Amino acid sequence: MAERTPFFASPDDVASRLRDATYLADADLVQVTWLADRLGKPVLLEGPAGTGKTELAKAVARAAGAKLIRLQCYEGLDESKALYEWNYRKQLLRIQVGVEGWADAEHDLFSSEFLLERPLLQALRADEPVVLLIDEIDRVEVEVEALLLEALSDFQVSIPELGTVSATRIPFVVLTSNDSRELTEALRRRCLYAWVDYPEAAREREIILARVPGVSEGLVTQVVDVVHRLRGLDLQKAPSISESIDWALTLVTLGVTDLRRDDLLGTLGVLLKHRGDLQRATKELAGP
Amino acid sequence: MTLLDPLQGLVADLRRSGIAVPASAVEDATRGVLALHDLGRAELRSTLRCTLAKDRGAQRMFELFYEIWFATGQLPADSDLRRSGGDGGGGGDDVSDSELASAVRDAIRSGDREALGRLARLVAVRWGGINASSRGSGALQSHHVIRHLGLDQLHRLDDDDPSAEPLDDDTRRRRVRSLDRFRLAVEEQVRELLVAVRGPADVSAAQRLQRVEDREVLQATRAELDELEAVVARLSRTLAVRMRRRRSRRDGRLDVRATLRRSLATGGVPIEPGFSRRRPRKPELVVVCDVSGSVANFARFTLLLAHALGAEFRQVRSFVFVDGVDEVTKRFRPGSDVRHAVRDVLATADTVRVDGHSDYGRVFNELHREIGSAVNHRTTVLVLGDARNNYHPTGEAAFAALAVRAHRVWWLNPEPRAYWNTGDSVIERYAPFCDELVECRTVRQLARFVDRL
């Protein structure tokens, strides 16, 4: 049976080590991370795009000195890309070369040499501490969710020719979803759940100050003001924290120290990526 | 363990509101609580929330029940009131009623969250009228407070200031948001006081909660309607995927070229056969929505869904009507934001010809004249309306003519079935021509129905 050795000693430990890894988490997220660590359960992070869900997994890996294994999900992802696949081409070549009997050949052909390990299997088999990031699971089909569930419940996988592969240590698993479809009940049951939303003004200021070197406090305040105003508008895609960081970085690179209307309107494209949104924002911000 | 009773109460309430909380979740919650380092309120809340409430709607309900079951149980002390005085830091007891009221209005205008929170507590204590004999879930008492402050009518806010310029859309929206936030804060405070006085079991028993998808659209509040928009957007994506998958099934015919091409990767040995996909036959959809009175809200979601799923249909034509028909298909161009388009449509469509009372007969005649020839065997006609005809002629002949030409006609009626054919509802006259006539009162029913398209 696989065991979980926790990365962190206490919620405060989580918060401070994440901060050292330049990820400022709010109290709720810290608590969920700590619980997941202690209980050995996966974490399901759901929320609008760009709010730091993927970043959390990376930060935990940095903070704990663990290896980050990433499975990027997309529509059409299947077992062979998620779990494992036999390297058919190599096997065919091997058959054409060898002259021994079938029994020896079979033993040879279905060995680890010809097994292509995909992220899930890699995570299960790893000897070192691992953070497994399953990114954008809402883009994947329901059948694949079932497959993942199986792997995430018992942390073992059966490969018909090789036998059952069990994990020696339970990885820290993070699943992210951009809330584009409803995930199955079974998956939710398996995980701890957290909704990651746009940050409050004070926290957003802290995050930008930590992430963007060389930015002045005055500029950060102006940036956060504008971003929060934009979020109050009825936009198709409101700017999230990753866009705020990009924008601050852009402004610093352009040498802007005090945000004027021209700078603002000129760089709005970093924040808003839809034409309708740009028009509305320009109308609102260029006003009085 | 003293936490066990409130936890059980909380779980029972969540289950009663339609949220599935399996035993494993309760077990996780307990293990989480045992592993807690310090039983601060925030940590306890986070722990319980992430183990018991596994989606956004559930989390919102969790917040509500958590407040009830794990409340601090303290009535406001006099010192509390004195400390949390008005903006000037003066004592709460010394502030007069009118000063408090105007402080609230100022806070709403400025959107100062901290002030709103503080003031919510004060007004709940002062005007909530909560004592040992209070009943209910707090809704009545909160409403009383809000009425007292005159906040149930937003324009009253601006009446006080005749010199103020007319507000633009975004300022108005911000004020509305502040107001909603204040209302929620007052409700929270009232509930807390009620729990302190009557105990959690009583208060939660009076709470009747439902997921927003199960709320009757005709009775939903403005905030719930906005939330429903997001729900519909998400539903449309799930449905689109399902519809697409259903349509592109494998045909069974071997596609020789694809198979040979794939076999190149395995040295000329065909291992993966390629099948030709059946070409998807997309239907054409004609949506006809009644936008009179309260049915307009339902029309909003139907139009949203129909156009969000636009890619799954060969063509979607939409019409809205009251006593005249207006085609609004052009407003839903591919690049535009569907939500704005729908709001636009509901605000500006030219649907009133005579007197603004529904006239289905006139509408169907007009419709038949305009698109009768365009309707063919590939068309699905979807009608949304309560068939309340104000005793006008029913125009069945025109409707029948359309129904005969179309592949299918479906009618969604947002009224409860018990009210059909009462008063001026003439749904039974149209029923014989419809392939399906369903009662459709919640967004969930709407989604289930669209799934079958």
Side-chain angles (χ1 to χ4, degrees):
Chain A
M1 206 48 237
E3 280 298 310
R4 164 132 197 94
T5 25
F7 291 155
F8 304 104
S10 71
D12 291 326
D13 191 26
V14 174
S16 66
R17 277 160 77 180
L18 283 180
R19 193 172 304 131
D20 291 338
T22 63
Y23 187 90
L24 288 111
D26 66 17
D28 186 48
L29 207 51
V30 163
Q31 193 67 22
V32 177
T33 309
W34 186 72
L35 259 184
D37 189 29
R38 200 126 285 246
L39 298 179
K41 292 191 74 104
V43 185
L44 172 59
L45 300 174
E46 214 174 28
T51 43
K53 306 182 285 292
T54 310
E55 206 39 53
L56 175 67
K58 293 189 195 165
V60 168
R62 279 199 301 270
K67 178 171 171 198
L68 177 72
I69 296 182
R70 180 175 186 161
L71 174 62
Q72 179 65 47
C73 296
Y74 56 92
E75 199 181 328
L77 181 76
D78 59 8
E79 190 179 79
S80 63
K81 298 289 180 308
L83 213 43
Y84 70 92
E85 194 174 14
W86 289 109
N87 194 343
Y88 302 118
R89 294 176 221 186
K90 206 166 164 191
Q91 284 173 328
L92 269 176
L93 289 174
R94 175 75 186 74
I95 291 177
Q96 286 167 2
V97 163
V99 291
E100 72 282 279
W102 172 239
D104 293 326
E106 184 186 6
H107 178 79
D108 208 9
L109 281 177
F110 291 115
S111 63
S112 318
E113 192 190 337
F114 296 96
L115 181 69
L116 291 170
E117 276 189 0
R118 303 297 188 202
L120 273 186
L121 191 57
Q122 277 174 14
L124 290 178
R125 266 185 161 191
D127 285 325
E128 56 202 315
V130 156
V131 170
L132 174 61
L133 167 64
I134 303 178
D135 213 8
E136 297 188 339
I137 189 169
D138 53 328
R139 285 167 63 182
V140 106
E141 284 153 26
V142 184
E143 294 89 7
V144 181
E145 265 191 50
L147 174 81
L148 288 173
L149 266 180
E150 209 188 307
L152 291 179
S153 355
D154 304 322
F155 292 101
Q156 67 183 26
V157 151
S158 23
I159 301 177
E161 298 84 2
L162 276 188
T164 314
V165 176
S166 306
T168 40
R169 44 170 83 216
I170 298 181
F172 186 94
V173 184
V174 179
L175 297 101
T176 69
S177 157
N178 284 336
D179 196 29
S180 70
R181 72 166 173 92
E182 277 198 36
L183 299 170
T184 58
E185 277 286 330
L187 188 63
R188 289 177 192 276
R189 205 177 301 163
R190 176 72 37 219
C191 310
L192 301 178
Y193 179 85
W195 174 268
V196 184
D197 211 343
Y198 302 124
E200 298 283 316
R203 176 158 297 277
E204 195 152 8
R205 248 197 295 274
E206 274 181 29
I207 297 177
I208 297 181
L209 278 171
R211 279 303 186 103
V212 182
V215 68
S216 69
E217 292 236 8
L219 186 61
V220 172
T221 312
Q222 288 175 312
V223 162
V224 171
D225 276 343
V226 171
V227 170
H228 276 249
R229 263 179 89 185
L230 287 177
R231 286 195 195 135
L233 296 180
D234 196 11
L235 299 173
Q236 207 177 330
K237 171 71 181 71
S240 48
I241 178 67
S242 64
E243 270 103 42
S244 323
I245 295 175
D246 284 342
W247 192 40
L249 202 54
T250 310
L251 291 172
V252 167
T253 313
L254 290 175
V256 173
T257 42
D258 183 31
L259 196 60
R260 297 276 156 73
R261 222 179 70 178
D262 297 330
D263 306 314
L264 171 55
L265 294 176
T267 51
L268 214 48
V270 178
L271 283 177
L272 301 171
K273 311 293 171 78
H274 292 266
R275 204 174 86 188
D277 291 347
L278 277 170
Q279 286 168 346
R280 290 182 71 97
T282 313
K283 201 174 65 160
E284 153 84 5
L285 295 169
Chain B
M1 198 167 79
T2 51
L3 277 177
L4 211 52
D5 288 327
L7 180 60
Q8 280 181 342
L10 175 59
V11 170
D13 280 337
L14 283 173
R15 284 177 179 155
R16 211 164 37 96
S17 309
I19 299 176
V21 183
S24 57
V26 181
E27 188 189 316
D28 289 335
T30 326
R31 274 166 60 206
V33 168
L34 287 172
L36 272 180
H37 267 213
D38 83 89
L39 278 177
R41 251 180 88 100
E43 287 82 11
L44 183 60
R45 183 202 224 116
S46 296
T47 306
L48 292 180
R49 183 169 54 196
C50 72
T51 46
L52 297 176
K54 300 291 181 74
D55 66 62
R56 202 159 181 217
Q59 290 211 334
R60 233 168 270 156
M61 282 196 247
F62 170 89
E63 294 294 327
L64 194 59
F65 287 124
Y66 180 81
E67 291 292 326
I68 293 176
W69 284 98
F70 289 87
T72 48
Q74 295 162 347
L75 282 167
D78 285 330
S79 54
D80 209 1
L81 285 174
R82 256 189 287 267
R83 226 183 311 123
S84 50
D87 286 337
D93 280 343
D94 305 337
V95 176
S96 73
D97 280 359
S98 57
E99 282 173 3
L100 189 52
S102 67
V104 168
R105 279 196 275 272
D106 287 336
I108 292 181
R109 261 196 218 107
S110 67
D112 180 351
R113 266 193 222 190
E114 211 218 301
L116 285 175
R118 253 185 302 125
L119 290 166
R121 180 90 176 156
L122 286 179
V123 302
V125 170
R126 192 174 285 209
W127 290 312
I130 295 166
N131 51 46
S133 63
S134 300
R135 284 276 161 271
S137 60
L140 199 62
Q141 289 86 349
S142 322
H143 188 64
H144 189 67
V145 171
I146 298 290
R147 285 264 315 268
H148 190 102
L149 284 166
L151 294 176
D152 50 336
Q153 295 151 347
L154 185 57
H155 61 267
R156 291 270 301 265
L157 265 181
D158 307 319
D159 272 355
D160 299 352
D161 191 356
S163 64
E165 322 94 66
L167 297 171
D168 62 44
D169 276 332
D170 287 314
T171 319
R172 192 186 307 275
R173 213 175 300 129
R174 243 171 296 169
R175 289 254 179 102
V176 169
R177 231 194 307 271
S178 285
L179 185 59
D180 283 340
R181 223 177 278 142
F182 182 68
R183 256 200 212 117
L184 280 171
V186 168
E187 278 173 22
E188 234 177 76
Q189 293 298 334
V190 163
R191 234 189 330 266
E192 219 178 279
L193 292 170
L194 268 178
V195 170
V197 165
R198 278 175 41 210
D202 259 359
V203 177
S204 73
Q207 200 80 39
R208 244 177 295 275
L209 282 182
Q210 273 171 316
R211 278 180 180 281
V212 79
E213 300 99 278
D214 296 319
R215 287 280 291 140
E216 299 220 4
V217 175
L218 295 188
Q219 293 173 4
T221 64
R222 186 181 42 217
E224 286 172 337
L225 288 174
D226 284 336
E227 215 184 296
L228 273 174
E229 259 188 20
V231 170
V232 167
R234 214 154 39 113
L235 269 171
S236 69
R237 276 173 290 214
T238 319
L239 283 175
V241 168
R242 233 183 288 164
M243 288 167 84
R244 208 176 306 150
R245 210 178 309 147
R246 226 180 297 152
R247 255 195 274 279
S248 63
R249 268 189 283 264
R250 299 203 312 193
D251 202 353
R253 275 184 309 177
L254 196 67
D255 183 355
V256 182
R257 193 196 267 166
T259 311
L260 282 179
R261 194 177 297 139
R262 279 190 213 176
S263 69
L264 287 177
T266 47
V269 181
I271 290 182
E272 279 285 325
F275 294 99
S276 55
R277 304 222 111 132
R278 187 151 43 124
R279 203 161 321 146
R281 209 123 29 97
K282 297 182 183 176
E284 293 175 8
L285 185 63
V286 170
V287 184
V288 185
C289 292
D290 183 349
V291 293
S292 61
S294 48
V295 187
N297 278 325
F298 216 101
R300 184 166 151 192
F301 298 116
T302 315
L303 284 171
L304 266 176
L305 249 188
H307 284 278
L309 292 171
E312 305 311 310
F313 299 103
R314 175 189 286 266
Q315 191 193 44
V316 180
R317 289 180 76 172
S318 359
F319 298 83
V320 295
F321 68 88
V322 177
D323 57 6
V325 174
D326 192 12
E327 176 160 13
V328 294
T329 312
K330 287 206 193 45
R331 312 220 196 166
F332 293 101
R333 248 161 323 178
S336 64
D337 185 3
V338 185
R339 281 178 358 206
H340 284 139
V342 170
R343 266 184 231 164
D344 236 0
V345 161
L346 292 177
T348 62
D350 173 27
T351 53
V352 178
R353 297 295 149 73
V354 182
D355 57 1
H357 291 126
S358 307
D359 186 345
Y360 279 67
R362 201 155 191 277
V363 163
F364 284 134
N365 278 311
E366 221 179 294
L367 206 59
H368 185 235
R369 253 198 326 268
E370 285 198 21
I371 66 163
S373 48
V375 171
N376 57 30
H377 65 280
R378 253 205 291 263
T379 317
T380 300
V381 178
L382 182 64
V383 182
L384 174 78
D386 55 6
R388 291 209 164 265
N389 205 14
N390 295 293
Y391 305 106
H392 289 137
T394 58
E396 278 159 65
F399 185 68
L402 280 172
V404 155
R405 289 188 66 108
H407 176 44
R408 311 175 280 198
V409 176
W410 285 343
W411 190 300
L412 300 176
N413 192 332
E415 264 195 339
R417 203 172 267 265
Y419 294 138
W420 292 4
N421 300 313
T422 63
D424 61 341
S425 159
V426 291
I427 187 78
E428 66 180 346
R429 307 287 289 276
Y430 301 116
F433 307 110
C434 302
D435 291 273
E436 293 248 13
L437 168 55
V438 282
E439 175 195 271
C440 193
R441 287 151 67 189
T442 67
V443 168
R444 196 188 287 280
Q445 285 172 326
L446 177 63
R448 220 177 286 148
F449 180 76
V450 173
D451 200 14
R452 290 158 55 196
L453 275 174

